Amino acid sequence: MNLNFLDFEQPIAELEAKIEELRYVGSDSEINLNEEISRLQTKSRELTESIFSSLKAAQIAQLARHPQRPYFLDYVQRIFTDFEELHGDRAFADDKAIIGGLARIDGRPVMIIGQQKGRDTKEKVQRNFGMPRPEGYRKAMRLMEMAERFELPVLTFIDTPGAYPGVDAEERGQSEAIAKNLFVMSKLKTPIISTVIGEGGSGGALAIGVCDRLLIMQYSTYSVISPEGCASILWKSSDRAQDAAEAMGMTAPRLKELGLVDTIVSEPLGGAHRDIDATAQNIKNALNDALDHLTELPADKLVDLRYERLMQYGNYTEQ
Amino acid sequence: MNWFSKLLPTRIRTETSTNKKSVPEGLWAKCNSCGAVLYRAELERNMDVCPKCSHHMRIGARARLDLFLDEADRIEIGSELKPVDALKFKDIKKYKDRLIQAQKATDEDDALIVIQGKVKGEAVVVAAFEFKFMGGSMGSVVGERFVRAVNACLEKNIPFICFSASGGARMQEALFSLMQMAKTSAALTRMQKRGLPFISVMTDPTMGGVSASFAMLGDINVAEPNALIGFAGPRVIEQTVRETLPEGFQRSEFLLEHGAIDMVVDRRDMRDRLASILSMLTHRSVA
């Protein structure tokens, strides 16, 4: 089994393996296998298209957590220039699960803040698997308030399983750190654009996700609780995560349908990791569009519109 | 059943039958902390605080509001708001059925009750969570009632007090429930802008999406003794760190020590203490 492919992609993996094999044989023999190879390539693409055209919510959740999925820093180097990372919450520590700093997008200066998972074991530990502690959220808040003072738009990138559920995080006030960010972001006098690039895990995601425009990658998820968590509470068994993923409507198209996200950023066939450059360009275009629109609005109007936007969330009847 | 009750529409009939059910309620209660057997009437006089060990038992939203507010001039806010199942959410049970079940069990439409009234003569808006309604979970109705409570304060220029008792966001409303965290927190920015006090009282338990939004945003954060307050549940943390948690972890006194709350206040003193605090914040003399 090829580990670069998810379980539901195994038929594609097998075809790709066959193509590789033929290439290898073809390179040191007289027989011309090019025709056969291109036939198989077409078949592989068709197969991928057919598999990806009918993905289940749980499969999209797998893609959002794909080990090769591009992380915040992979996009930073492709979308921005002159990135200067700014460290620390000025009170306790520098949380490496949240990265922030100044950068330019097509020459325009902005404040960027994103959650970062680790690629290898060492980095995973260093980044705490993308699960921020209170100091991470407080660093983010410090940078947002700075952005407001210097009239820089804030671009946040969400990719976290959730805020860190640990003893130290509780001791230092995880709840307060998240709550304070919601409070500050909802009145920040500068545009905020949030993009869910991987996993949007609950309050830990929302704590950098109160915004004027919410973008979500085609194969990303955003939910109030992980499907495993939801299943173990409501179904009393984490084996029912697939059902929970489906029921919660955590995928991009479903969230768009429900009016909870503004824009879906498309990914290449097979997911963002198949072509990171192209994906980054798609994100960049979407960010520029949103920036063009939002920077035209006066700050007070922007904050009023954001408030209205927040107030309309919810479903109820009045009798 | 006699011929007359047979003629009545079903709804009215159900009401009489629930009235009957409440009659044989226990005369005695047991303290779930020290195990003392208590005469229920005496326990109620003591605001559901164990007279033997001062353990604060969970208390319903209506009872809480009744204890806290003056008897005169009460107006309920947002009772016209009813929950809907927009996602057609179904786990083992349908969300719709869970709602009906919770509504029957509590006689409330949702988990937050808001009353505009007075505390020792000073006009306030007070909200209280009904924990028995789906664990006091925050869905759209809770969020909207909270916002209407804030709007009433803004309109009347009066303080806001919220008694929280909640497991967090209501999963059956999925991302809509998460967004209530942002919605309620945003509303509080208007209170601050207008210089109106918001006092958050955290009671057992105040967890997850509720603690990580408005509950921690009080000008003054208060907790009842020994209430469980935190972001992640103790079981989740235990699974993450794979060690048993220290005694008293995530309890009110722990939060006080770590600087997350201003004070721990006994339920029996709550009305006096908060009235006194409010009178100072609003520059009034004590009534």
Side-chain angles (χ1 to χ4, degrees), chain B residues 174-241:
Chain B
L175 203 65
F176 285 105
S177 67
L178 188 74
M179 291 307 170
Q180 303 311 309
M181 293 170 66
K183 179 173 176 172
T184 52
S185 303
L188 292 174
T189 62
R190 302 258 157 136
M191 291 289 285
Q192 194 187 62
K193 203 173 172 187
R194 286 277 289 281
L196 296 172
F198 168 53
I199 298 181
S200 168
V201 184
M202 289 168 259
T203 74
D204 187 57
T206 300
M207 302 300 290
V210 167
S211 101
S213 61
F214 61 83
M216 278 291 167
L217 293 173
D219 291 296
I220 296 180
N221 288 340
V222 179
E224 281 194 340
N226 203 38
L228 186 74
I229 302 163
F231 176 66
R235 252 178 307 161
V236 175
I237 298 176
E238 263 178 347
Q239 279 162 17
T240 313
V241 299

Side-chain angles (χ1 to χ4, degrees), chain A residues 163 165 170-171 175 179 183 186 202-203 206 224 233-235 247-248 258 307 310-311 313-319, chain B residues 80-82 84 86-87 91-92 140 144 148 174 177-178 180 183 186-187 190 211-213 231-232 250 254 258:
Chain A
E170 295 289 326
E171 282 174 344
S175 286
F183 187 84
S186 63
S202 190
L206 184 65
V224 65
I233 297 171
L234 293 181
W235 277 266
M248 285 198 293
L258 294 168
Y307 192 80
L310 291 168
M311 290 308 124
Y313 286 130
N315 304 292
Y316 46 79
T317 56
E318 284 187 63
Q319 285 162 12
Chain B
E80 67 280 11
L81 297 164
K82 321 273 183 207
V84 291
L87 291 171
D91 46 82
I92 300 172
S140 300
E144 182 63 20
R148 294 202 183 178
S177 67
L178 188 74
Q180 303 311 309
K183 179 173 176 172
R190 302 258 157 136
S211 101
S213 61
F231 176 66
Q250 291 184 320
F254 171 94
H258 286 88

Side-chain angles (χ1 to χ4, degrees), chain A:
Chain A
M1 181 166 148
N2 187 335
L3 291 180
N4 293 336
F5 289 88
L6 299 167
D7 49 8
F8 63 87
E9 295 178 295
Q10 283 311 313
I12 307 168
E14 279 161 28
L15 260 181
E16 290 291 324
K18 204 175 261 174
I19 293 169
E20 268 313 294
E21 210 173 288
L22 283 178
R23 274 216 186 99
Y24 183 73
V25 174
S27 65
D28 52 33
S29 76
E30 296 295 304
I31 326 154
N32 191 348
L33 293 169
N34 283 347
E35 211 172 287
E36 178 65 6
I37 289 173
S38 76
R39 194 185 65 81
L40 284 177
Q41 275 171 335
T42 313
K43 201 176 163 197
S44 166
R45 197 171 50 244
E46 283 167 3
L47 187 64
T48 313
E49 271 165 15
S50 105
I51 289 176
F52 274 72
S53 65
S54 57
L55 288 177
K56 294 227 160 29
Q59 292 169 329
I60 292 174
Q62 272 179 285
L63 276 167
R65 297 171 182 168
H66 196 290
Q68 288 182 321
R69 193 163 178 84
Y71 297 145
F72 175 50
L73 287 178
D74 298 313
Y75 291 129
V76 169
Q77 55 180 17
R78 288 172 173 85
I79 297 173
F80 303 97
T81 58
D82 306 285
F83 176 53
E84 286 290 347
E85 186 175 353
L86 304 172
H87 293 272
D89 69 342
R90 295 289 190 274
F92 182 78
D94 182 42
D95 186 348
K96 297 196 168 41
I98 288 190
I99 295 172
L102 296 162
R104 288 180 188 272
I105 177 167
D106 284 340
R108 181 158 41 188
V110 290
M111 184 69 80
I112 57 176
I113 297 165
Q115 285 144 341
Q116 176 75 19
K117 295 177 176 175
R119 191 70 64 189
D120 56 36
T121 310
K122 195 180 153 211
E123 202 205 345
K124 279 192 168 90
V125 172
Q126 190 195 17
R127 305 280 180 202
N128 199 30
F129 301 84
M131 294 184 286
R133 290 183 162 87
E135 48 272 23
Y137 292 117
R138 288 176 182 136
K139 168 169 73 177
M141 183 177 75
R142 180 175 79 81
L143 300 186
M144 289 184 228
E145 288 179 328
M146 189 200 300
E148 180 182 51
R149 289 198 298 280
F150 295 101
E151 296 178 6
L152 299 169
V154 175
L155 310 180
T156 71
F157 296 84
I158 294 167
D159 188 12
T160 181
Y164 181 58
V167 175
D168 58 338
E170 295 289 326
E171 282 174 344
R172 294 195 291 279
Q174 187 74 288
S175 286
E176 193 272 349
I178 294 169
K180 196 63 183 291
N181 278 20
L182 305 180
F183 187 84
V184 168
M185 291 182 91
S186 63
K187 65 185 175 87
L188 202 76
K189 287 187 173 153
T190 191
I192 308 174
I193 303 163
S194 296
T195 310
V196 186
I197 56 172
E199 254 183 298
S202 190
L206 184 65
I208 60 164
V210 179
C211 58
D212 303 300
R213 286 288 179 281
L214 181 57
L215 321 182
I216 187 167
M217 308 291 303
Q218 192 178 356
Y219 302 125
S220 285
T221 56
Y222 196 3
S223 63
V224 65
I225 185 170
S226 69
E228 293 78 13
C230 181
S232 74
I233 297 171
L234 293 181
W235 277 266
K236 318 271 179 224
S237 152
S238 54
D239 301 340
R240 303 292 298 272
Q242 291 194 352
D243 299 309
E246 211 65 58
M248 285 198 293
M250 60 196 290
T251 61
R254 188 82 178 99
L255 293 170
K256 180 94 190 347
E257 223 173 80
L258 294 168
L260 289 162
V261 303
D262 301 294
T263 309
I264 298 175
V265 180
S266 64
E267 294 186 31
L269 184 62
H273 57 287
R274 299 288 184 91
D275 189 346
I276 303 179
D277 289 333
T279 311
Q281 190 58 50
N282 291 350
I283 299 176
K284 190 174 181 176
N285 295 344
L287 289 175
N288 275 327
D289 282 352
L291 277 171
D292 287 344
H293 180 73
L294 294 171
T295 47
E296 270 179 20
L297 297 167
D300 287 333
K301 174 84 178 156
L302 189 74
V303 174
D304 285 347
L305 287 174
R306 191 184 305 145
Y307 192 80
E308 276 170 35
R309 177 186 167 89
L310 291 168
M311 290 308 124
Q312 52 84 32
Y313 286 130
N315 304 292
Y316 46 79
T317 56
E318 284 187 63
Q319 285 162 12

Side-chain angles (χ1 to χ4, degrees), chain B residues 4 19 26-27 106 113 116 126 152 182 185 199 214 240 268-269:
Chain B
F4 180 67
N19 281 348
L27 273 173
T106 60
I113 317 297
Q116 184 187 318
V126 184
S185 303
I199 298 181
F214 61 83
T240 313
R268 293 161 293 188
D269 304 329

